[in-house]
Amino acid sequence: MGHPVTHTTRSRLDTERAHFRIGGAWQAPCGGPGGPYTVVTDPTGRGAVGQVPDGTPEDVSRAVAAARAAFPAWAAADVATRRALLTAVATGIREREADFAEVIGAEMGAPLDNALHAQTRLAAEVFRSYADILAGHTWEERIGSSQVVREPVGVVAAITPWNYPLYLAAAKVAAALAAGCTVVLKPSCDAPLNAFLLAEVFADACLAVGAPGGVFNLITGSGAVVGDALASHPDVDAVSFTGSTAAGRSVAAAAAKTVKRVGLELGGKSARVILADERDGRTVKDLDRAIRVALADAFFNSGQTCTACTRVLLPDAVYDEAVALAAAEAGRRRLGDPAAAGDHLGPVATARQYASVLSHIERGVAEGARLVAGGSAPRDRIPDGLDAGHWVLPTVFADVTGDMTIAREEIFGPVVCLMRYRDEQEAVRIANDSIYGLAGAVWCADPLRAERIARRIRAGLVTVNNGEFNVLAPTGGYKQSGIGRELGVHGLLEYMETKTIQW
Ligand code: NAD
């Protein structure tokens, strides 16, 4: 058992964690079970929801050694065994989906429907998608006298953030295991509890299919200590990181010392281009729906989505009407308790994030943008009894120009910037005027024109109209949004080496 913490959570789940999952066993940190730990707090201000141990470089070495020990057997495992493990994990997540949703909601504030669908079920779908991919893919090709084969890269360190903690871990872990790699997962200290449930699911799944327990190892602790030790560890072959661009740079620098493979999924400041009819240049088909879709995207998960299109680019002719529609729509959205079902917004996940979002809003006002909805939440908009939470109202800025801080920096809160443009050329220029290139969106009645614009946006994922997210298609960043791709076959290849055998 860990340290005594005064819990205010309603959970019957084990949220006081004192052990890592290493080599198929629950193991106390090298310094013993009473060592340093991190308290996980509830963003609604209810208090502590659990605790996890703080690992050390020594703990990291132990976890890496366990992953290394399991690697030969897992790399040699046949496709049927790999598929069986991935399927068992997907099934295990679904069987415990209520537990996952409860824990994720408590630790990072996602409202119940979001926590269940976008966080938990999506993660299960990713595991299942890799079981399907393994069934239908051949990994070898003949090029002249050469046979080109693919082999797993080895031990993978997966370092993940708090915003979609389970899903983003699944994108790495499922792809790496499908490729035949073994994994050490280090989740964010702000939302690590769901990863312990995942480790429990893995424990059962490994036993059920006869996979070595060391294929999946879990260690917690700070980025500066545990994350850095993983990224620089000589026996880690690849590090896959999702998080901020600043931390991604550190990970890449640490990994460079041993020239290990690096995958980076970083920040974004994506643009949505809403286009007027090409002939009259004055009307936007379904403008009110375009605005509703834009705000739903920007406010989902309280704006804490790396691919959110938080710059909405509008043609001059409809700009004023669009601003009024956006202000009204933002005003209709409600804040609410994450434990409740519904489409309300939860709090911002951490105190640090809350301060940063509020300071960006202040900066927007100071630099001359027009605040037409939102800002920090007044008492009467905060759910009853949760005054101490990190509440930010759905916020809309109009008259945002490209030089403003709020147009350039990722805010990672429910804040949307409405920008105006004169013509298609200018819209594309503004969309691409960013150090980031993670995502984009185009709203246009003409599919050919929409595709033309989508092709000109320098980003890894562009959504046309209300296009659906596809777990089989790759996502990832151009420019400072990252290196490499996740999901689908493309995501799997990130964890493989290519070998030519020639005669
Ligand atoms: P963060 O960068 O602070 O932390 C992410 C993870 O990295 C955590 O596990 C953290 O402990 C670890 N870490 C921090 N510093 C480290 C270091 N020097 N070495 C090794 N590990 C380190 O990010 P966050 O605040 O948890 O998440 C928010 C950020 O994540 C946003 O910028 C968002 O855009 C980005 N994000 C990107 C994607 C994507 O797919 N591109 C998806 C989700 C979130």
Side-chain angles (χ1 to χ4, degrees):
M1 221 39 214
H3 304 260
V5 171
T6 314
H7 283 218
T8 47
T9 174
R10 321 110 337 245
S11 185
R12 66 198 151 70
L13 300 169
D14 179 7
T15 56
E16 280 187 50
R17 302 289 187 165
H19 297 87
F20 301 127
R21 184 80 191 168
I22 294 179
W26 292 103
Q27 299 203 18
C30 292
Y37 62 99
T38 294
V39 174
V40 183
T41 54
D42 180 331
T44 61
R46 285 185 174 106
V49 293
Q51 64 185 46
V52 297
D54 288 340
T56 59
E58 218 184 332
D59 294 312
V60 167
S61 287
R62 215 155 42 123
V64 171
R68 174 61 59 198
F71 177 63
W74 188 244
D78 58 17
V79 164
T81 308
R82 288 190 208 169
R83 293 191 64 214
L85 181 65
L86 294 162
T87 305
V89 173
T91 306
I93 293 173
R94 286 303 298 262
E95 281 170 3
R96 298 194 63 188
E97 63 182 19
D99 295 347
F100 276 105
E102 179 185 325
V103 161
I104 292 169
E107 60 188 340
M108 57 69 67
L112 193 58
D113 289 336
N114 166 353
L116 194 59
H117 294 279
Q119 309 261 3
T120 305
R121 290 186 184 167
L122 188 58
E125 202 183 327
V126 169
F127 276 101
R128 203 170 294 282
S129 77
Y130 276 107
D132 294 345
I133 284 167
L134 283 186
H137 214 81
T138 82
W139 305 104
E140 302 202 4
E141 59 185 313
R142 189 83 187 182
I143 303 178
S145 65
S146 303
Q147 186 70 11
V148 178
V149 302
R150 308 264 191 190
E151 294 174 349
V153 67
V155 172
V156 171
I159 304 176
T160 51
W162 45 260
N163 57 332
Y164 291 87
L166 182 66
Y167 158 68
L168 291 169
K172 299 182 188 314
V173 174
L177 293 177
C181 297
T182 56
V183 178
V184 179
L185 172 65
K186 191 213 89 67
S188 161
C189 323
D190 293 311
L193 296 171
N194 66 91
F196 286 81
L197 293 183
L198 182 64
E200 290 174 4
V201 166
F202 260 103
D204 292 345
C206 286
L207 212 59
V209 309
V215 298
F216 174 85
N217 305 278
L218 170 67
I219 179 164
T220 44
S222 75
V225 176
V226 174
D228 185 69
L230 280 168
S232 48
H233 201 289
D235 218 19
V236 169
D237 299 289
V239 56
S240 178
F241 170 88
T242 298
S244 60
T245 296
R249 279 189 203 107
S250 303
V251 166
K257 287 175 214 148
T258 50
V259 198
K260 58 174 61 81
R261 188 177 299 195
V262 178
L264 301 174
E265 297 281 329
L266 308 175
K269 188 76 201 178
S270 303
R272 171 181 302 270
V273 181
I274 295 182
L275 289 158
D277 184 284
E278 204 166 19
R279 282 152 310 180
D280 75 2
R282 306 198 54 76
T283 51
V284 171
K285 189 167 183 291
D286 297 332
L287 180 63
D288 56 344
R289 184 152 169 266
I291 295 297
R292 262 185 284 123
V293 168
L295 267 52
D297 167 67
F299 295 155
F300 189 71
N301 210 32
S302 296
Q304 303 164 121
T305 304
C306 54
T307 52
C309 292
T310 52
R311 293 181 295 145
V312 176
L313 279 42
L314 294 149
D316 265 336
V318 301
Y319 189 80
D320 293 338
E321 186 187 354
V323 169
L325 286 168
E329 174 63 17
R332 277 192 286 274
R333 305 300 305 271
R334 295 280 162 261
L335 304 176
D337 188 342
D343 70 349
H344 51 275
L345 277 77
V348 166
T350 68
R352 193 177 61 250
Q353 195 58 30
Y354 181 52
S356 163
V357 173
L358 292 184
S359 98
H360 274 96
I361 293 174
E362 278 169 26
R363 193 85 182 262
V365 172
E367 291 180 10
R370 184 158 54 99
L371 184 69
V372 295
S376 68
R379 256 222 142 86
D380 62 343
R381 299 279 306 266
I382 295 175
D384 284 347
L386 301 179
D387 302 16
H390 313 136
W391 301 103
V392 181
L393 288 176
T395 297
V396 178
F397 275 110
D399 304 343
V400 177
T401 52
D403 54 336
M404 292 179 184
T405 308
I406 55 171
R408 310 208 69 78
E409 292 184 2
E410 180 180 56
I411 300 174
F412 229 53
V415 182
V416 71
C417 298
L418 306 183
M419 304 173 77
R420 66 164 85 222
Y421 69 84
R422 277 186 305 275
D423 55 27
E424 195 177 297
Q425 283 298 100
E426 190 180 34
V428 171
R429 185 192 60 70
I430 297 171
N432 289 332
D433 179 22
S434 172
I435 59 166
Y436 297 114
L438 193 56
V442 180
W443 184 274
C444 179
D446 172 357
L448 290 178
R449 187 171 172 223
E451 184 178 337
R452 199 172 74 216
I453 306 286
R455 286 177 183 274
R456 293 178 65 194
I457 294 180
R458 304 273 304 156
L461 174 69
V462 183
T463 302
V464 173
N465 296 336
N466 211 5
E468 266 191 34
F469 189 63
N470 175 4
V471 289
L472 292 173
T475 61
Y478 283 33
K479 300 190 263 180
Q480 293 187 35
S481 286
I483 300 172
R485 292 293 178 268
E486 293 200 304
L487 300 179
V489 173
H490 295 78
L492 190 147
L493 291 175
E494 300 280 334
Y495 298 103
M496 286 184 145
E497 290 283 13
T498 304
K499 176 187 284 178
T500 296
I501 303 171
Q502 51 199 14
W503 284 268

PDB file of all heavy atoms in Angstrom, residues 20 43 104 114 191 211 243 262 268 316 334 337 346 375 393 431 444:
ATOM      1  N   PHE A  20       5.178  -0.520  -9.826  1.00  0.00           N
ATOM      2  CA  PHE A  20       5.235  -0.459 -11.282  1.00  0.00           C
ATOM      3  C   PHE A  20       4.883  -1.839 -11.831  1.00  0.00           C
ATOM      4  O   PHE A  20       4.955  -2.837 -11.103  1.00  0.00           O
ATOM      5  CB  PHE A  20       6.654  -0.092 -11.740  1.00  0.00           C
ATOM      6  CG  PHE A  20       7.135   1.231 -11.203  1.00  0.00           C
ATOM      7  CD1 PHE A  20       8.344   1.324 -10.521  1.00  0.00           C
ATOM      8  CD2 PHE A  20       6.387   2.381 -11.378  1.00  0.00           C
ATOM      9  CE1 PHE A  20       8.790   2.534 -10.024  1.00  0.00           C
ATOM     10  CE2 PHE A  20       6.835   3.609 -10.880  1.00  0.00           C
ATOM     11  CZ  PHE A  20       8.035   3.681 -10.204  1.00  0.00           C
ATOM     12  N   PRO A  43      -9.398  17.851 -11.382  1.00  0.00           N
ATOM     13  CA  PRO A  43      -9.456  19.230 -11.889  1.00  0.00           C
ATOM     14  C   PRO A  43     -10.724  19.994 -11.523  1.00  0.00           C
ATOM     15  O   PRO A  43     -10.808  21.196 -11.741  1.00  0.00           O
ATOM     16  CB  PRO A  43      -9.333  19.075 -13.408  1.00  0.00           C
ATOM     17  CG  PRO A  43      -9.545  17.645 -13.696  1.00  0.00           C
ATOM     18  CD  PRO A  43      -9.323  16.851 -12.455  1.00  0.00           C
ATOM     19  N   ILE A 104     -10.448   8.261 -15.892  1.00  0.00           N
ATOM     20  CA  ILE A 104      -9.989   9.326 -16.797  1.00  0.00           C
ATOM     21  C   ILE A 104     -10.730  10.631 -16.483  1.00  0.00           C
ATOM     22  O   ILE A 104     -10.123  11.706 -16.415  1.00  0.00           O
ATOM     23  CB  ILE A 104     -10.174   8.907 -18.278  1.00  0.00           C
ATOM     24  CG1 ILE A 104      -9.207   7.760 -18.613  1.00  0.00           C
ATOM     25  CG2 ILE A 104      -9.954  10.087 -19.219  1.00  0.00           C
ATOM     26  CD1 ILE A 104      -9.458   7.082 -19.949  1.00  0.00           C
ATOM     27  N   ASN A 114     -17.517  11.770 -23.222  1.00  0.00           N
ATOM     28  CA  ASN A 114     -16.203  11.905 -23.852  1.00  0.00           C
ATOM     29  C   ASN A 114     -15.272  10.821 -23.320  1.00  0.00           C
ATOM     30  O   ASN A 114     -14.613  10.102 -24.099  1.00  0.00           O
ATOM     31  CB  ASN A 114     -15.690  13.328 -23.546  1.00  0.00           C
ATOM     32  CG  ASN A 114     -14.210  13.541 -23.825  1.00  0.00           C
ATOM     33  OD1 ASN A 114     -13.475  12.605 -24.131  1.00  0.00           O
ATOM     34  ND2 ASN A 114     -13.758  14.771 -23.710  1.00  0.00           N
ATOM     35  N   ALA A 191      -2.124  12.454 -15.379  1.00  0.00           N
ATOM     36  CA  ALA A 191      -3.227  11.504 -15.617  1.00  0.00           C
ATOM     37  C   ALA A 191      -2.661  10.100 -15.803  1.00  0.00           C
ATOM     38  O   ALA A 191      -2.821   9.494 -16.871  1.00  0.00           O
ATOM     39  CB  ALA A 191      -4.028  11.933 -16.853  1.00  0.00           C
ATOM     40  N   ALA A 211       1.452 -14.783 -23.776  1.00  0.00           N
ATOM     41  CA  ALA A 211       2.509 -13.834 -24.167  1.00  0.00           C
ATOM     42  C   ALA A 211       3.386 -13.545 -22.952  1.00  0.00           C
ATOM     43  O   ALA A 211       2.897 -13.548 -21.814  1.00  0.00           O
ATOM     44  CB  ALA A 211       1.880 -12.538 -24.665  1.00  0.00           C
ATOM     45  N   GLY A 243       3.346  14.985 -26.826  1.00  0.00           N
ATOM     46  CA  GLY A 243       3.300  16.030 -25.807  1.00  0.00           C
ATOM     47  C   GLY A 243       3.649  17.371 -26.414  1.00  0.00           C
ATOM     48  O   GLY A 243       3.470  17.595 -27.614  1.00  0.00           O
ATOM     49  N   VAL A 262      13.233   8.145 -33.293  1.00  0.00           N
ATOM     50  CA  VAL A 262      12.371   9.049 -32.523  1.00  0.00           C
ATOM     51  C   VAL A 262      11.077   9.325 -33.289  1.00  0.00           C
ATOM     52  O   VAL A 262      11.113   9.665 -34.472  1.00  0.00           O
ATOM     53  CB  VAL A 262      13.089  10.402 -32.286  1.00  0.00           C
ATOM     54  CG1 VAL A 262      12.185  11.363 -31.521  1.00  0.00           C
ATOM     55  CG2 VAL A 262      14.381  10.207 -31.528  1.00  0.00           C
ATOM     56  N   GLY A 268       0.019  21.938 -31.912  1.00  0.00           N
ATOM     57  CA  GLY A 268      -0.589  22.426 -33.145  1.00  0.00           C
ATOM     58  C   GLY A 268      -1.254  23.782 -32.943  1.00  0.00           C
ATOM     59  O   GLY A 268      -1.463  24.232 -31.806  1.00  0.00           O
ATOM     60  N   ASP A 316     -14.484  37.704 -45.765  1.00  0.00           N
ATOM     61  CA  ASP A 316     -14.978  39.034 -45.399  1.00  0.00           C
ATOM     62  C   ASP A 316     -16.500  39.148 -45.428  1.00  0.00           C
ATOM     63  O   ASP A 316     -17.102  39.674 -44.495  1.00  0.00           O
ATOM     64  CB  ASP A 316     -14.443  40.061 -46.419  1.00  0.00           C
ATOM     65  CG  ASP A 316     -13.178  40.718 -45.910  1.00  0.00           C
ATOM     66  OD1 ASP A 316     -13.002  40.740 -44.682  1.00  0.00           O
ATOM     67  OD2 ASP A 316     -12.375  41.178 -46.744  1.00  0.00           O
ATOM     68  N   ARG A 334     -22.479  24.798 -22.006  1.00  0.00           N
ATOM     69  CA  ARG A 334     -22.465  24.801 -20.543  1.00  0.00           C
ATOM     70  C   ARG A 334     -21.239  24.091 -19.993  1.00  0.00           C
ATOM     71  O   ARG A 334     -20.751  23.128 -20.567  1.00  0.00           O
ATOM     72  CB  ARG A 334     -23.708  24.072 -20.000  1.00  0.00           C
ATOM     73  CG  ARG A 334     -25.010  24.757 -20.328  1.00  0.00           C
ATOM     74  CD  ARG A 334     -25.287  25.935 -19.377  1.00  0.00           C
ATOM     75  NE  ARG A 334     -26.284  26.846 -19.918  1.00  0.00           N
ATOM     76  CZ  ARG A 334     -26.009  27.992 -20.548  1.00  0.00           C
ATOM     77  NH1 ARG A 334     -24.782  28.401 -20.711  1.00  0.00           N
ATOM     78  NH2 ARG A 334     -26.977  28.760 -21.010  1.00  0.00           N
ATOM     79  N   ASP A 337     -20.107  19.043 -14.449  1.00  0.00           N
ATOM     80  CA  ASP A 337     -19.339  18.044 -13.703  1.00  0.00           C
ATOM     81  C   ASP A 337     -18.923  16.916 -14.654  1.00  0.00           C
ATOM     82  O   ASP A 337     -19.777  16.316 -15.314  1.00  0.00           O
ATOM     83  CB  ASP A 337     -20.246  17.493 -12.579  1.00  0.00           C
ATOM     84  CG  ASP A 337     -19.488  16.588 -11.625  1.00  0.00           C
ATOM     85  OD1 ASP A 337     -18.386  16.110 -11.990  1.00  0.00           O
ATOM     86  OD2 ASP A 337     -19.998  16.357 -10.516  1.00  0.00           O
ATOM     87  N   GLY A 346     -15.987  20.053 -19.513  1.00  0.00           N
ATOM     88  CA  GLY A 346     -15.385  19.839 -18.207  1.00  0.00           C
ATOM     89  C   GLY A 346     -14.375  20.944 -17.923  1.00  0.00           C
ATOM     90  O   GLY A 346     -14.184  21.864 -18.728  1.00  0.00           O
ATOM     91  N   GLY A 375     -14.212  33.705 -21.472  1.00  0.00           N
ATOM     92  CA  GLY A 375     -13.272  34.216 -20.480  1.00  0.00           C
ATOM     93  C   GLY A 375     -13.331  33.331 -19.240  1.00  0.00           C
ATOM     94  O   GLY A 375     -13.903  32.233 -19.271  1.00  0.00           O
ATOM     95  N   LEU A 393     -14.763  29.424 -19.501  1.00  0.00           N
ATOM     96  CA  LEU A 393     -15.936  29.420 -20.373  1.00  0.00           C
ATOM     97  C   LEU A 393     -15.499  29.210 -21.819  1.00  0.00           C
ATOM     98  O   LEU A 393     -14.385  29.612 -22.199  1.00  0.00           O
ATOM     99  CB  LEU A 393     -16.650  30.770 -20.283  1.00  0.00           C
ATOM    100  CG  LEU A 393     -17.403  31.070 -18.995  1.00  0.00           C
ATOM    101  CD1 LEU A 393     -17.965  32.490 -19.062  1.00  0.00           C
ATOM    102  CD2 LEU A 393     -18.524  30.058 -18.792  1.00  0.00           C
ATOM    103  N   ALA A 431      -3.616  30.067 -43.207  1.00  0.00           N
ATOM    104  CA  ALA A 431      -3.658  28.699 -42.642  1.00  0.00           C
ATOM    105  C   ALA A 431      -2.243  28.153 -42.451  1.00  0.00           C
ATOM    106  O   ALA A 431      -1.941  27.504 -41.451  1.00  0.00           O
ATOM    107  CB  ALA A 431      -4.463  27.778 -43.550  1.00  0.00           C
ATOM    108  N   CYS A 444     -16.625  23.487 -47.336  1.00  0.00           N
ATOM    109  CA  CYS A 444     -16.882  23.937 -48.703  1.00  0.00           C
ATOM    110  C   CYS A 444     -17.912  23.022 -49.347  1.00  0.00           C
ATOM    111  O   CYS A 444     -17.828  21.798 -49.210  1.00  0.00           O
ATOM    112  CB  CYS A 444     -15.560  23.877 -49.482  1.00  0.00           C
ATOM    113  SG  CYS A 444     -15.702  24.381 -51.186  1.00  0.00           S
TER     114      CYS A 444
END
